[in-house]
Coordinates of all heavy atoms in Angstrom, one line a residue:
M1 N 25.6 -8.1 2.7 CA 24.5 -8.4 1.7 C 23.4 -9.2 2.4 O 23.7 -10.3 3.0 CB 25.0 -9.2 0.5 CG 24.0 -9.4 -0.6 SD 23.4 -7.9 -1.4 CE 24.6 -7.8 -2.7
R2 N 22.2 -8.8 2.4 CA 21.1 -9.5 2.9 C 20.4 -10.3 1.9 O 20.0 -9.9 0.8 CB 20.0 -8.5 3.5 CG 18.7 -9.2 4.0 CD 18.0 -8.3 4.9 NE 17.6 -7.0 4.3 CZ 16.5 -6.9 3.5 NH1 15.7 -7.9 3.3 NH2 16.2 -5.7 3.0
I3 N 20.3 -11.7 2.1 CA 19.8 -12.6 1.2 C 18.3 -12.8 1.4 O 17.5 -12.9 0.5 CB 20.5 -14.0 1.2 CG1 22.0 -13.8 1.0 CG2 19.9 -15.0 0.3 CD1 22.3 -13.2 -0.4
L4 N 17.9 -12.9 2.7 CA 16.5 -13.2 3.1 C 15.6 -12.0 2.9 O 16.0 -10.8 3.1 CB 16.4 -13.7 4.5 CG 17.1 -15.0 4.8 CD1 17.1 -15.3 6.3 CD2 16.5 -16.1 4.0
Q5 N 14.4 -12.2 2.5 CA 13.4 -11.2 2.3 C 12.7 -10.8 3.6 O 12.4 -11.7 4.4 CB 12.3 -11.6 1.3 CG 11.2 -10.7 1.0 CD 11.7 -9.3 0.5 OE1 12.7 -9.3 -0.3 NE2 11.2 -8.3 1.0
K6 N 12.5 -9.5 3.8 CA 11.8 -9.1 5.0 C 10.3 -9.0 4.7 O 9.9 -8.5 3.6 CB 12.3 -7.7 5.5 CG 13.6 -7.7 6.2 CD 13.9 -6.3 6.7 CE 15.2 -6.3 7.4 NZ 15.6 -4.9 7.8
Y7 N 9.5 -9.4 5.7 CA 8.0 -9.4 5.5 C 7.4 -8.7 6.7 O 7.9 -8.7 7.8 CB 7.4 -10.8 5.4 CG 7.7 -11.5 4.1 CD1 8.9 -12.3 4.1 CD2 6.9 -11.4 3.0 CE1 9.2 -12.9 2.9 CE2 7.2 -12.1 1.9 CZ 8.4 -12.9 1.8 OH 8.7 -13.5 0.7
R8 N 6.3 -8.0 6.4 CA 5.4 -7.5 7.5 C 4.4 -8.6 7.7 O 3.7 -9.0 6.8 CB 4.7 -6.2 7.0 CG 4.5 -5.2 8.1 CD 4.0 -3.9 7.5 NE 2.5 -4.0 7.4 CZ 1.8 -3.4 6.4 NH1 2.4 -2.7 5.5 NH2 0.5 -3.5 6.4
M9 N 4.3 -9.1 8.9 CA 3.4 -10.2 9.3 C 2.5 -9.8 10.3 O 2.8 -9.0 11.2 CB 4.2 -11.4 9.7 CG 5.0 -12.0 8.5 SD 5.7 -13.6 9.0 CE 6.1 -14.2 7.4
R10 N 1.3 -10.3 10.3 CA 0.2 -9.9 11.2 C -0.4 -11.1 11.9 O -0.7 -12.1 11.2 CB -0.9 -9.2 10.3 CG -2.1 -8.6 11.2 CD -3.1 -7.9 10.3 NE -2.5 -6.8 9.6 CZ -3.0 -6.3 8.4 NH1 -4.1 -6.8 7.9 NH2 -2.4 -5.2 7.9
A11 N -0.7 -10.9 13.2 CA -1.4 -11.9 13.9 C -2.9 -11.6 13.7 O -3.4 -10.5 13.9 CB -1.1 -11.8 15.4
P12 N -3.7 -12.6 13.1 CA -5.0 -12.4 12.7 C -6.0 -11.9 13.8 O -6.8 -11.0 13.5 CB -5.5 -13.7 12.2 CG -4.2 -14.5 11.8 CD -3.2 -14.0 12.8
S13 N -5.9 -12.4 15.0 CA -6.9 -12.0 16.0 C -6.6 -10.6 16.6 O -7.5 -9.9 16.9 CB -6.9 -13.1 17.1 OG -5.7 -13.1 17.9
T14 N -5.3 -10.3 16.8 CA -5.0 -9.0 17.4 C -4.7 -7.9 16.4 O -4.8 -6.7 16.7 CB -3.8 -9.1 18.4 OG1 -2.7 -9.6 17.6 CG2 -4.1 -10.1 19.5
G15 N -4.3 -8.3 15.2 CA -3.9 -7.3 14.2 C -2.5 -6.7 14.5 O -2.0 -5.9 13.8
R16 N -1.8 -7.3 15.5 CA -0.5 -6.9 15.8 C 0.5 -7.3 14.7 O 0.4 -8.4 14.2 CB 0.0 -7.5 17.1 CG 1.1 -6.8 17.8 CD 1.3 -7.4 19.2 NE 2.1 -8.7 19.0 CZ 3.4 -8.7 19.0 NH1 4.1 -7.7 19.2 NH2 4.0 -9.9 18.9
E17 N 1.3 -6.3 14.3 CA 2.2 -6.6 13.1 C 3.7 -6.6 13.6 O 4.1 -5.8 14.5 CB 2.0 -5.6 12.0 CG 0.7 -5.7 11.4 CD 0.5 -4.8 10.2 OE1 1.4 -4.0 9.9 OE2 -0.5 -5.0 9.5
V18 N 4.5 -7.5 13.0 CA 5.9 -7.5 13.2 C 6.6 -7.6 11.9 O 6.1 -8.0 10.9 CB 6.3 -8.7 14.1 CG1 5.8 -8.5 15.6 CG2 5.7 -10.0 13.6
I19 N 7.9 -7.2 11.9 CA 8.8 -7.3 10.8 C 9.6 -8.6 11.0 O 10.2 -8.7 12.0 CB 9.7 -6.1 10.6 CG1 8.9 -4.8 10.5 CG2 10.6 -6.3 9.4 CD1 8.0 -4.7 9.4
V20 N 9.5 -9.5 10.0 CA 10.2 -10.7 10.1 C 11.2 -10.9 8.9 O 10.8 -10.7 7.8 CB 9.2 -11.9 10.1 CG1 10.0 -13.3 10.1 CG2 8.3 -11.8 11.3
L21 N 12.4 -11.3 9.2 CA 13.4 -11.7 8.2 C 13.1 -13.1 8.0 O 13.6 -14.0 8.7 CB 14.8 -11.4 8.8 CG 16.0 -11.5 7.8 CD1 15.8 -10.4 6.7 CD2 17.3 -11.3 8.5
A22 N 12.3 -13.4 7.0 CA 11.7 -14.8 6.9 C 12.6 -15.7 6.0 O 13.1 -15.4 5.0 CB 10.3 -14.6 6.2
E23 N 12.7 -16.9 6.6 CA 13.3 -18.0 5.9 C 12.2 -18.8 5.1 O 11.1 -19.0 5.7 CB 14.1 -18.9 6.8 CG 15.3 -18.3 7.4 CD 16.0 -19.2 8.4 OE1 16.1 -20.4 8.2 OE2 16.3 -18.7 9.5
P24 N 12.5 -19.3 3.9 CA 11.5 -20.0 3.2 C 11.1 -21.3 3.9 O 11.9 -21.9 4.6 CB 12.3 -20.5 1.9 CG 13.5 -19.5 1.8 CD 13.8 -19.1 3.2
D25 N 9.8 -21.6 3.9 CA 9.2 -22.8 4.4 C 9.2 -22.8 6.0 O 8.9 -23.9 6.6 CB 9.9 -24.1 3.9 CG 9.8 -24.2 2.4 OD1 8.8 -23.7 1.8 OD2 10.8 -24.6 1.8
K26 N 9.5 -21.7 6.6 CA 9.5 -21.7 8.1 C 8.2 -21.0 8.5 O 7.7 -20.1 7.9 CB 10.7 -20.9 8.6 CG 11.0 -21.2 10.0 CD 12.4 -20.6 10.4 CE 12.6 -20.6 11.9 NZ 13.7 -19.8 12.3
V27 N 7.6 -21.5 9.6 CA 6.3 -21.0 10.1 C 6.7 -20.0 11.2 O 7.4 -20.4 12.1 CB 5.4 -22.1 10.6 CG1 4.2 -21.5 11.3 CG2 5.0 -23.0 9.4
Y28 N 6.1 -18.9 11.2 CA 6.3 -17.9 12.2 C 5.0 -17.7 13.0 O 3.9 -17.6 12.5 CB 6.7 -16.5 11.6 CG 8.1 -16.7 11.0 CD1 8.2 -17.1 9.6 CD2 9.2 -16.5 11.7 CE1 9.5 -17.2 9.1 CE2 10.5 -16.7 11.1 CZ 10.6 -17.0 9.8 OH 11.8 -17.2 9.3
V29 N 5.1 -17.6 14.4 CA 4.0 -17.5 15.2 C 4.1 -16.3 16.1 O 5.2 -15.9 16.5 CB 3.8 -18.7 16.1 CG1 3.4 -20.0 15.3 CG2 5.0 -19.0 17.0
D30 N 3.0 -15.7 16.5 CA 2.9 -14.5 17.4 C 3.3 -15.0 18.8 O 2.8 -16.0 19.2 CB 1.5 -13.9 17.3 CG 1.5 -12.6 18.2 OD1 1.9 -11.6 17.6 OD2 1.1 -12.7 19.3
H31 N 4.2 -14.3 19.4 CA 4.7 -14.8 20.7 C 3.7 -14.6 21.8 O 3.8 -15.1 22.9 CB 6.1 -14.2 21.1 CG 6.1 -12.8 21.5 ND1 6.2 -11.7 20.6 CD2 5.9 -12.2 22.7 CE1 6.1 -10.6 21.3 NE2 6.0 -10.8 22.5
E32 N 2.7 -13.7 21.6 CA 1.7 -13.5 22.6 C 0.5 -14.5 22.5 O 0.0 -15.1 23.4 CB 1.2 -12.1 22.6 CG 2.2 -11.1 23.2 CD 1.7 -9.6 23.0 OE1 0.6 -9.4 22.6 OE2 2.6 -8.8 23.3
T33 N 0.0 -14.6 21.2 CA -1.2 -15.4 21.0 C -0.9 -16.9 20.6 O -1.7 -17.8 20.7 CB -2.1 -14.8 20.0 OG1 -1.4 -14.8 18.7 CG2 -2.5 -13.4 20.4
G34 N 0.3 -17.0 20.1 CA 0.7 -18.4 19.6 C 0.2 -18.7 18.3 O 0.4 -19.8 17.8
E35 N -0.6 -17.8 17.7 CA -1.2 -18.1 16.4 C -0.2 -17.8 15.2 O 0.7 -17.1 15.4 CB -2.5 -17.3 16.2 CG -2.3 -15.8 16.1 CD -3.6 -15.1 16.1 OE1 -4.6 -15.6 15.7 OE2 -3.5 -13.9 16.7
R36 N -0.5 -18.5 14.1 CA 0.4 -18.3 12.9 C 0.3 -16.9 12.3 O -0.8 -16.4 12.1 CB 0.0 -19.4 11.9 CG 0.9 -19.5 10.8 CD 0.4 -20.6 9.9 NE 1.3 -20.7 8.7 CZ 1.6 -21.8 8.1 NH1 1.1 -23.0 8.5 NH2 2.5 -21.8 7.1
L37 N 1.4 -16.3 12.1 CA 1.4 -15.0 11.5 C 1.2 -15.1 10.0 O 1.7 -16.0 9.3 CB 2.8 -14.3 11.8 CG 3.1 -13.9 13.2 CD1 4.5 -13.5 13.3 CD2 2.1 -12.8 13.7
E38 N 0.4 -14.1 9.5 CA 0.1 -14.1 8.1 C 0.9 -13.0 7.4 O 0.9 -11.8 7.9 CB -1.4 -13.8 7.9 CG -2.3 -14.9 8.4 CD -3.8 -14.6 8.2 OE1 -4.1 -13.5 8.0 OE2 -4.5 -15.6 8.4
P39 N 1.6 -13.3 6.3 CA 2.4 -12.3 5.6 C 1.4 -11.2 5.0 O 0.5 -11.6 4.4 CB 3.1 -13.0 4.5 CG 2.5 -14.4 4.5 CD 1.7 -14.6 5.7
V40 N 1.7 -10.0 5.3 CA 0.9 -8.9 4.8 C 1.6 -8.2 3.6 O 0.9 -7.9 2.6 CB 0.6 -7.8 5.9 CG1 -0.2 -6.7 5.4 CG2 0.0 -8.5 7.1
A41 N 2.9 -8.0 3.7 CA 3.6 -7.3 2.6 C 5.1 -7.6 2.6 O 5.6 -8.0 3.7 CB 3.4 -5.8 2.8
Q42 N 5.7 -7.5 1.5 CA 7.2 -7.5 1.4 C 7.7 -6.1 1.7 O 7.1 -5.2 1.2 CB 7.6 -8.0 0.1 CG 7.2 -9.4 -0.2 CD 7.9 -9.9 -1.6 OE1 8.0 -9.1 -2.5 NE2 8.3 -11.1 -1.6
L43 N 8.8 -6.1 2.4 CA 9.4 -4.8 2.6 C 10.5 -4.4 1.5 O 11.2 -5.3 1.1 CB 10.1 -4.7 4.0 CG 9.3 -4.1 5.1 CD1 8.0 -5.0 5.3 CD2 10.1 -4.1 6.4
L44 N 10.5 -3.2 1.2 CA 11.6 -2.7 0.2 C 12.8 -2.3 1.0 O 12.7 -1.8 2.2 CB 11.0 -1.5 -0.5 CG 9.9 -1.8 -1.5 CD1 9.4 -0.4 -2.1 CD2 10.4 -2.7 -2.6
P45 N 14.0 -2.4 0.5 CA 14.3 -3.0 -0.8 C 14.2 -4.5 -0.8 O 14.5 -5.1 0.3 CB 15.7 -2.5 -1.1 CG 16.3 -2.2 0.3 CD 15.1 -1.8 1.2
L46 N 13.8 -5.1 -1.9 CA 13.7 -6.5 -1.9 C 15.1 -7.2 -1.9 O 16.1 -6.7 -2.4 CB 13.0 -6.9 -3.2 CG 11.6 -6.4 -3.4 CD1 11.1 -6.8 -4.8 CD2 10.6 -7.0 -2.4
A47 N 15.1 -8.3 -1.2 CA 16.4 -9.1 -1.1 C 16.6 -9.7 -2.5 O 15.7 -10.0 -3.2 CB 16.2 -10.2 -0.1
P48 N 17.9 -10.0 -2.9 CA 19.1 -9.7 -2.1 C 19.5 -8.2 -2.3 O 19.3 -7.6 -3.3 CB 20.1 -10.6 -2.8 CG 19.6 -10.7 -4.2 CD 18.1 -10.7 -4.2
T49 N 19.9 -7.6 -1.2 CA 20.2 -6.2 -1.2 C 21.3 -5.9 -0.1 O 21.4 -6.6 0.9 CB 19.0 -5.4 -0.9 OG1 19.4 -4.0 -0.8 CG2 18.3 -5.7 0.4
A50 N 22.1 -4.9 -0.4 CA 23.1 -4.4 0.5 C 22.5 -3.4 1.4 O 23.1 -2.9 2.4 CB 24.3 -3.9 -0.2
S51 N 21.3 -2.9 1.1 CA 20.7 -1.8 1.8 C 19.6 -2.2 2.7 O 18.9 -3.1 2.4 CB 20.2 -0.7 0.8 OG 19.4 0.2 1.5
E52 N 19.5 -1.6 3.9 CA 18.4 -1.8 4.8 C 17.4 -0.7 4.7 O 16.5 -0.7 5.5 CB 18.9 -2.0 6.2 CG 19.7 -3.3 6.4 CD 18.9 -4.6 6.1 OE1 17.7 -4.6 6.3 OE2 19.5 -5.6 5.6
L53 N 17.6 0.3 3.8 CA 16.7 1.4 3.8 C 15.7 1.3 2.6 O 16.1 0.9 1.6 CB 17.5 2.7 3.6 CG 18.5 3.1 4.8 CD1 19.2 4.3 4.4 CD2 17.7 3.3 6.0
P54 N 14.5 1.7 2.8 CA 13.6 1.7 1.7 C 14.0 2.7 0.7 O 14.6 3.7 1.0 CB 12.2 2.1 2.4 CG 12.5 2.0 3.9 CD 13.9 2.1 4.1
W55 N 13.5 2.6 -0.5 CA 13.8 3.5 -1.6 C 12.9 4.7 -1.6 O 12.4 5.1 -2.6 CB 13.7 2.8 -2.9 CG 14.8 1.7 -3.1 CD1 14.9 0.6 -2.4 CD2 15.8 1.7 -4.1 NE1 16.0 -0.1 -2.8 CE2 16.5 0.5 -3.9 CE3 16.1 2.6 -5.1 CZ2 17.6 0.2 -4.7 CZ3 17.2 2.2 -5.9 CH2 17.9 1.1 -5.7
A56 N 12.8 5.3 -0.4 CA 12.0 6.5 -0.3 C 12.9 7.7 -0.7 O 14.1 7.6 -0.6 CB 11.5 6.7 1.1
I57 N 12.3 8.8 -1.1 CA 13.1 9.9 -1.6 C 14.0 10.4 -0.4 O 15.2 10.9 -0.7 CB 12.2 11.1 -2.1 CG1 13.1 12.1 -2.9 CG2 11.4 11.7 -1.1 CD1 13.6 11.5 -4.2
D58 N 13.6 10.3 0.8 CA 14.4 10.7 2.0 C 15.7 9.9 2.1 O 16.6 10.3 2.8 CB 13.6 10.6 3.3 CG 12.4 11.5 3.3 OD1 12.4 12.5 2.4 OD2 11.6 11.4 4.2
N59 N 15.7 8.7 1.5 CA 16.8 7.8 1.7 C 17.7 7.7 0.5 O 18.5 6.9 0.4 CB 16.3 6.4 2.1 CG 15.5 6.4 3.4 OD1 15.9 7.1 4.3 ND2 14.4 5.7 3.4
L60 N 17.4 8.7 -0.5 CA 18.2 8.7 -1.7 C 19.0 9.9 -1.8 O 18.7 10.9 -1.1 CB 17.3 8.6 -2.9 CG 16.5 7.3 -3.0 CD1 15.5 7.4 -4.2 CD2 17.3 6.1 -3.2
R61 N 20.1 9.9 -2.6 CA 21.0 11.0 -2.8 C 21.4 11.0 -4.3 O 21.4 10.0 -4.9 CB 22.2 11.0 -1.9 CG 23.0 9.7 -2.1 CD 24.2 9.6 -1.2 NE 25.2 10.6 -1.5 CZ 26.4 10.6 -1.0 NH1 26.8 9.6 -0.3 NH2 27.3 11.5 -1.3
F62 N 21.9 12.1 -4.7 CA 22.5 12.2 -6.1 C 24.0 11.9 -6.0 O 24.7 12.5 -5.2 CB 22.3 13.6 -6.7 CG 20.8 13.8 -7.1 CD1 20.0 14.5 -6.3 CD2 20.3 13.2 -8.3 CE1 18.7 14.7 -6.7 CE2 19.0 13.4 -8.7 CZ 18.2 14.2 -7.9
C63 N 24.4 11.0 -6.9 CA 25.9 10.7 -7.0 C 26.6 12.0 -7.5 O 26.1 12.6 -8.5 CB 26.1 9.5 -7.9 SG 27.8 9.3 -8.3
N64 N 27.7 12.4 -6.9 CA 28.4 13.6 -7.4 C 29.2 13.3 -8.6 O 29.8 14.2 -9.2 CB 29.3 14.1 -6.3 CG 30.2 13.1 -5.7 OD1 29.8 12.1 -5.2 ND2 31.5 13.4 -5.8
H65 N 29.3 12.1 -9.1 CA 30.0 11.7 -10.3 C 29.0 11.6 -11.5 O 29.3 12.3 -12.6 CB 30.8 10.4 -10.2 CG 31.8 10.5 -9.1 ND1 32.9 11.2 -9.2 CD2 31.7 9.9 -7.8 CE1 33.6 11.0 -8.0 NE2 32.9 10.3 -7.2
C66 N 28.0 10.8 -11.4 CA 27.1 10.6 -12.6 C 25.7 11.2 -12.4 O 24.9 11.1 -13.3 CB 27.0 9.1 -12.8 SG 26.1 8.2 -11.5
D67 N 25.4 11.8 -11.3 CA 24.2 12.5 -11.0 C 23.0 11.6 -11.0 O 21.8 12.0 -11.2 CB 24.0 13.6 -12.1 CG 23.3 14.8 -11.5 OD1 23.4 15.1 -10.3 OD2 22.6 15.5 -12.2
Q68 N 23.2 10.3 -10.8 CA 22.1 9.4 -10.6 C 21.7 9.2 -9.2 O 22.5 9.4 -8.3 CB 22.4 8.0 -11.2 CG 22.7 7.9 -12.7 CD 21.5 8.3 -13.5 OE1 20.4 7.6 -13.3 NE2 21.6 9.2 -14.4
L69 N 20.4 8.9 -8.9 CA 20.0 8.6 -7.5 C 20.5 7.3 -7.0 O 20.4 6.3 -7.7 CB 18.5 8.7 -7.4 CG 17.8 10.1 -7.5 CD1 16.3 9.9 -7.7 CD2 18.1 10.8 -6.2
S70 N 21.0 7.3 -5.8 CA 21.4 6.1 -5.1 C 21.0 6.2 -3.7 O 20.7 7.2 -3.2 CB 22.9 5.8 -5.3 OG 23.6 6.7 -4.6
Q71 N 21.1 5.0 -3.0 CA 20.7 5.0 -1.6 C 21.8 5.8 -0.7 O 22.9 5.6 -1.0 CB 20.6 3.6 -1.0 CG 19.6 2.8 -1.8 CD 20.2 1.9 -2.9 OE1 20.9 2.4 -3.7 NE2 19.9 0.6 -2.8
R72 N 21.3 6.5 0.2 CA 22.2 7.3 1.1 C 23.2 6.5 1.9 O 24.2 7.0 2.3 CB 21.3 8.2 2.0 CG 20.5 9.3 1.4 CD 19.7 10.0 2.4 NE 20.5 10.8 3.3 CZ 20.8 12.0 3.2 NH1 20.4 12.7 2.1 NH2 21.5 12.7 4.1
D73 N 22.8 5.3 2.2 CA 23.7 4.5 3.0 C 24.8 3.8 2.3 O 25.7 3.1 2.9 CB 22.9 3.4 3.8 CG 22.2 2.5 2.9 OD1 21.8 2.8 1.8 OD2 21.9 1.4 3.4
L74 N 24.9 4.0 0.9 CA 26.0 3.4 0.2 C 27.2 4.3 0.1 O 27.0 5.5 0.1 CB 25.5 3.1 -1.3 CG 24.4 2.0 -1.4 CD1 24.0 1.8 -2.9 CD2 24.7 0.7 -0.8
L75 N 28.3 3.7 0.1 CA 29.6 4.5 -0.1 C 29.9 4.6 -1.6 O 30.3 5.7 -2.1 CB 30.7 3.8 0.6 CG 30.7 3.8 2.1 CD1 31.8 3.0 2.7 CD2 30.6 5.2 2.7
D76 N 29.7 3.5 -2.3 CA 30.0 3.5 -3.7 C 28.7 3.6 -4.5 O 27.7 2.9 -4.2 CB 30.8 2.2 -4.1 CG 32.1 2.2 -3.4 OD1 32.7 3.2 -3.2 OD2 32.5 1.1 -3.1
C77 N 28.7 4.4 -5.6 CA 27.5 4.6 -6.4 C 27.3 3.2 -7.1 O 28.2 2.7 -7.7 CB 27.8 5.7 -7.4 SG 26.5 5.8 -8.7
P78 N 26.0 2.8 -7.1 CA 25.7 1.5 -7.8 C 25.6 1.7 -9.3 O 25.6 0.7 -10.0 CB 24.3 1.1 -7.2 CG 23.7 2.4 -6.7 CD 24.9 3.3 -6.3
W79 N 25.6 2.9 -9.8 CA 25.5 3.1 -11.2 C 26.8 3.3 -11.9 O 27.1 2.6 -12.9 CB 24.6 4.4 -11.5 CG 23.3 4.3 -10.8 CD1 22.9 5.0 -9.6 CD2 22.2 3.5 -11.2 NE1 21.7 4.6 -9.3 CE2 21.2 3.7 -10.2 CE3 22.0 2.6 -12.2 CZ2 20.0 3.1 -10.3 CZ3 20.7 2.0 -12.3 CH2 19.8 2.2 -11.3
C80 N 27.7 4.1 -11.3 CA 29.0 4.3 -12.0 C 30.1 3.7 -11.2 O 31.3 3.6 -11.7 CB 29.3 5.8 -12.1 SG 29.6 6.7 -10.5
G81 N 29.8 3.2 -10.0 CA 30.8 2.4 -9.2 C 31.9 3.3 -8.5 O 32.7 2.8 -7.8
Q82 N 31.8 4.6 -8.6 CA 32.7 5.5 -7.9 C 32.3 5.8 -6.5 O 31.2 5.8 -6.1 CB 32.9 6.8 -8.7 CG 33.4 6.5 -10.1 CD 34.0 7.8 -10.7 OE1 35.0 8.4 -10.2 NE2 33.4 8.3 -11.8
R83 N 33.4 6.0 -5.7 CA 33.1 6.4 -4.3 C 32.5 7.8 -4.3 O 33.0 8.8 -4.8 CB 34.5 6.5 -3.5 CG 34.4 6.8 -2.1 CD 33.6 5.9 -1.2 NE 33.9 4.5 -1.4 CZ 34.6 3.8 -0.5 NH1 35.1 4.3 0.5 NH2 34.8 2.5 -0.7
M84 N 31.3 7.9 -3.6 CA 30.6 9.1 -3.5 C 31.1 10.0 -2.4 O 31.7 9.6 -1.4 CB 29.1 8.9 -3.3 CG 28.4 8.2 -4.5 SD 26.6 8.0 -4.4 CE 26.6 6.6 -3.2
E85 N 30.9 11.3 -2.6 CA 31.4 12.3 -1.7 C 30.7 12.1 -0.3 O 29.5 11.7 -0.3 CB 30.9 13.7 -2.2 CG 31.8 14.9 -1.8 CD 31.4 16.1 -2.7 OE1 30.3 16.6 -2.5 OE2 32.3 16.6 -3.4
A86 N 31.4 12.4 0.8 CA 30.8 12.2 2.1 C 29.6 13.2 2.2 O 29.6 14.3 1.7 CB 31.8 12.5 3.2
L87 N 28.6 12.7 2.9 CA 27.4 13.5 3.2 C 27.7 14.6 4.2 O 28.4 14.3 5.2 CB 26.2 12.6 3.6 CG 25.6 11.7 2.5 CD1 24.7 10.7 3.2 CD2 24.9 12.5 1.5
A88 N 27.1 15.8 4.0 CA 27.4 16.9 4.9 C 26.6 16.7 6.3 O 27.2 17.0 7.3 CB 26.9 18.2 4.3
D89 N 25.5 16.0 6.2 CA 24.7 15.9 7.5 C 24.9 14.6 8.2 O 25.3 13.6 7.6 CB 23.2 16.1 7.2 CG 22.7 15.2 6.1 OD1 23.4 14.9 5.2 OD2 21.5 14.8 6.2
Ligands
ZN1 ZN1 27.6 7.6 -9.8

């Protein structure tokens, strides 16, 4: 389970972006310019989460028990709690 939130952060002068698993109240700096990184966006799925995949349609599947959409990387359906069928691909 991931507790920390991931952020897309940008170095203002270069526009270079990095993904940071950010801790609250910690300052993150660009390793090339040394300037403070500015948070641009939060990444999905939001923490706390067991998944590292965004909730894009490509990353979802239908549960073979309850027919609800769930993340492809999960073994157990988050809706009905049953073990989902192994993926063919
Ligand atoms: Zn289910």
Side-chain angles (χ1 to χ4, degrees):
M1 184 68 89
R2 172 165 60 84
I3 303 298
L4 296 175
Q5 177 60 39
K6 282 184 180 176
Y7 290 88
R8 214 172 85 216
M9 291 188 165
R10 183 181 298 158
S13 68
T14 60
R16 203 173 75 89
E17 293 188 350
V18 288
I19 305 298
V20 176
L21 193 60
E23 291 177 43
D25 303 323
K26 200 168 166 191
V27 173
Y28 294 89
V29 295
D30 185 83
H31 75 270
E32 285 175 8
T33 64
E35 65 192 328
R36 189 176 178 149
L37 293 171
E38 296 176 345
V40 180
Q42 293 186 323
L43 264 63
L44 293 176
L46 297 174
T49 175
S51 172
E52 290 300 328
L53 295 177
W55 291 62
I57 194 69
D58 294 348
N59 299 319
L60 298 174
R61 61 182 290 198
F62 287 101
C63 170
N64 56 300
H65 300 286
C66 67
D67 215 28
Q68 294 295 307
L69 282 168
S70 68
Q71 300 97 307
R72 290 177 68 93
D73 59 335
L74 295 181
L75 294 175
D76 297 325
C77 172
W79 306 104
C80 69
Q82 297 197 64
R83 180 62 47 105
M84 293 184 285
E85 210 168 63
L87 289 170
D89 52 329

